[in-house]
Amino acid sequence: MRIYVLLAGLLLAGPGLQAQSPQIQRRELPAGRAETPLRIDGHLDEADWARATESSDFWAKWPVDTKPANRRTTVKTLYDDTFLYFGIVCEDSSDYIIQTLKRDQEPWGSDGVAIILDPVDRRTNGFFFYVTALGSQTEALISNSIESYNPDWDNRWFSEVQNYPDHWVIEVAIPYKTLRFEPGNTTWGLNFIRCDLKSNLYSVWSRVPINFEGYDLGYTGALRWDQAPEPPKGNVSIIPYAIGRTHIDYEGDRRMHGSGGGGLDAKVAITPSLNLDLTVNPDFSQVDVDQQVTNLQRFDLFFPERRTFFLENSDLFNSFGIPPVRPFFSRRIGLQDGRPVPILAGARLSGNLTRNLRIGLMSLQTAAAQGGPGNNYSVAAVQYSVLKRSNITAMLLNRQGFDGAKPDGQDFGRNAGMEMNYISADGKWNAWGQFHASFTPERLDQNLYYCTGFMYAGRRFSHVTSYHNSQENFIVDMGFNARQYNYDAARDTAVRLGYQTLFQVYSYTFFPKSVPWLNQHGIEIESEPTFNADFTLNEWNLTPVYQFQFADQSGLGLGFRHSRVNLPFATDLIGAEPLPPGSYVFTAFRGGYESDPRKRLMFSIQGESGPFYNGKKHSLELALNFRVQPWGNFGARVEYNDVRLPGPYGAARLWLASPRIEINFSRNLFWTTFLQYNTQAGNFNINSRLQWRFRPMSDLFIVYTDNYGTEGLFVKNRALVVKLNYWLTM
């Protein structure tokens, strides 16, 4: 009964909190029709650009938000029957800071401008387009969920840059076919972010408080159309691919094996705001390898989804639950024990049915592989917007195993859930309530998950409180819930246990005005007690950290982590004699420093030292990167862990080294070599990838991989993959 009272309180709190959210008057930029064709070359010399209304007066966003930007940025916009255009002029010297020419890189480290679009103007989800001063592009999806920025989304758009001694110019054309918008809507959410690294200043067109991200959709201005854009006709994209592989397994038959194949993806716009994605025999070989980490925790780690098919409107599916508990996690589809399982075909329908109603329907079929049956994975999600920025969502999940061609009535996993997410108009208040259930052939009880919490994000003070309860039999065949599975080393089996967690974060930030070399400093205290189903303590971590952010963007953090762990089972942490069940209390001190990321040579160092269970652990991580602007990055990350446990419980010195070389021959030709030497996994991996983007969203990949054992560096396997994909829009 307790959880229902909490959920009801959150739902009723919405209207009361809403009254506390005054809005700054909204800026507007009119979009006028271009009467003549525009050539995207970075020269704003057409007559239409001269007639277009311009807007400037950007406002500082970081490190302060209390003054105008010190360099002028001017923006204009036009449209025609096919494209939405932007012309942007940035006052600047020619000594740019550019991290890389490669596409889809983290944007905030280079001089550039971002365009934020919310075509539905509901402040819940939108698009992000970023161009650097040397013309490299990044696009992303943005939403009002916890993971609000998703840079793995890719689509077609066009831009060119021209550079001059005292300014640079961006010209952008975004096809309507790339966007999802509501027909007849003449007001779109709009903002711009200017990254001026030499001035150490980030500025925005529509003011955003310093305590929010610059792309926060709650603070967009308005793009005003004199006439709503017409829906594009024949909006269909076909993306076929062909692939060839050759590999040698030196631990197996030591013979060279070759294979080839192909498949395709398709995007069909049912309406301008509703999209159908189709895939047949998809291949994900172009995806970067996961960055390995040393895992000294008791539970599995979470790795993000990067596969293209799953990214359109991904927040509709992936935002259910909270980061430790995701009822749906698309990475569970097409992977089994870290190895690919063939996906035969799939379809996804997602987008807006009305201004307030979004839907997502997805179904994929995998083949029988690795001794397991074929499975169908189906998802249905609905999101209805209420108030100004809030929503109510519901989802249904179904994994159905097959016995040959027939569904197996005793092999399925199903989930259903409903959530309410409240965000005040100014974004400072956030409250949520979540309720989910799982259904299995055994019809188990104790099959619920529920969560409630709230967040306040003030200028100086912020706070998060979240309580969630995952019962023992809340099983997510298509999700992620690592803490539920506890490994019993004595019996070599994983035991499913229910648990409940109260997560809290308190932080306070100071903005000193009389210390020119210090932007801000403050304390953050994180408390995370986890209890068993009977309310006995399972684990509690308390982590206070004091952080300093300096004027040159370098940063320093100092703190400690106090842990109380009650191991329910014998637990193997380092591959020696398992630790016995029981109570362990230990406190480790930690600190870290990150240098100015604008410099050619950048580095970070962090360490931790102190007791660890019934022994000691000393950890050190060092990362270096040298930039030969703009064509090369040469870096390495080295992590060392020295774990010393008493007696038979063992000791280990664990190394993880990850050198990386990135060469950018142009904005369309990239070569990246990534090495990972991991003594915990006993593997040394070499991944070298050449990518040629010969036209927008069309690529040739040549990928070479080597795997060696770390003891003696014996060869495990080698592979060479050549893949060609082509994006055809009709």
Side-chain angles (χ1 to χ4, degrees), residues 4 16 42 46 49 102 173 197 215 303 324 373 414 438 493 510 618:
Y4 299 108
E46 291 92 348
W49 282 122
K102 194 173 181 181
L197 274 295
Y215 50 80
F303 290 95
R414 294 166 186 158
S438 66
T493 187
F510 299 91
H618 308 287

Side-chain angles (χ1 to χ4, degrees), residues 135-341:
S136 55
Q137 297 179 333
T138 295
E139 63 271 287
L141 297 175
I142 49 180
S143 66
N144 62 3
S145 62
I146 295 176
E147 290 90 357
S148 58
Y149 177 81
N150 185 349
D152 295 316
W153 176 72
D154 281 323
N155 220 310
R156 298 173 73 246
W157 58 292
F158 308 92
S159 64
E160 286 296 337
V161 173
Q162 294 294 329
N163 304 104
Y164 303 93
D166 61 349
H167 70 283
W168 46 281
V169 181
I170 306 173
E171 192 171 17
V172 174
I174 304 174
Y176 299 141
K177 293 183 177 182
T178 293
L179 302 170
R180 305 287 174 256
F181 60 92
E182 183 183 30
N185 183 19
T186 58
T187 302
W188 291 16
L190 174 68
N191 209 349
F192 301 90
I193 306 174
R194 167 80 185 274
C195 302
D196 185 357
L197 274 295
K198 292 180 294 299
S199 298
N200 195 24
L201 184 72
Y202 298 82
S203 58
V204 287
W205 174 71
S206 178
R207 292 178 66 174
V208 182
I210 195 171
N211 45 309
F212 298 102
E213 299 288 354
Y215 50 80
D216 191 296
L217 295 173
Y219 289 88
T220 56
L223 175 64
R224 300 288 189 192
W225 300 76
D226 56 9
Q227 182 179 350
E230 291 294 325
K233 297 178 181 178
N235 189 358
V236 178
S237 296
I238 306 295
I239 311 107
Y241 80 88
I243 190 168
R245 302 182 181 90
T246 180
H247 71 278
I248 303 175
D249 183 359
Y250 288 92
E251 295 181 307
D253 59 15
R254 304 179 65 88
R255 294 169 54 190
M256 181 175 291
H257 297 269
S259 62
L264 64 85
D265 290 335
K267 291 179 174 289
V268 182
I270 306 301
T271 71
S273 60
L274 188 65
N275 195 71
L276 174 65
D277 288 271
L278 303 170
T279 187
V280 177
N281 193 30
D283 177 82
F284 308 115
S285 62
Q286 79 270 29
V287 175
D288 286 333
V289 294
D290 288 321
Q291 180 174 298
Q292 297 181 26
V293 295
T294 300
N295 186 9
L296 293 173
Q297 303 179 26
R298 294 188 287 144
F299 307 105
D300 291 338
L301 300 177
F302 184 96
F303 290 95
E305 176 63 85
R306 296 177 178 175
R307 298 175 293 181
T308 302
F309 174 79
F310 294 101
L311 299 178
E312 182 89 18
N313 284 306
S314 59
D315 66 292
L316 261 175
F317 304 98
N318 297 333
S319 61
F320 285 90
I322 55 177
V325 185
R326 290 297 189 198
F328 176 76
F329 176 43
S330 59
R331 197 177 168 107
R332 293 288 297 272
I333 302 174
L335 288 174
Q336 181 176 315
D337 299 326
R339 293 176 293 178
V341 174

Side-chain angles (χ1 to χ4, degrees), residues 82-100:
T82 307
F83 295 98
L84 174 62
Y85 300 97
F86 292 95
I88 305 169
V89 180
C90 303
E91 287 186 356
D92 204 346
S93 67
S94 57
D95 185 22
Y96 309 121
I97 296 175
I98 302 294
Q99 299 292 342
T100 179

Side-chain angles (χ1 to χ4, degrees), residues 66 122 272 277 297 309 332 425 488 518 622 663 667 686 703:
T66 55
R122 279 296 300 168
D277 288 271
Q297 303 179 26
F309 174 79
R332 293 288 297 272
D488 183 348
L518 183 63
L622 175 66
I663 305 295
R667 285 185 292 163
I686 301 173
V703 184

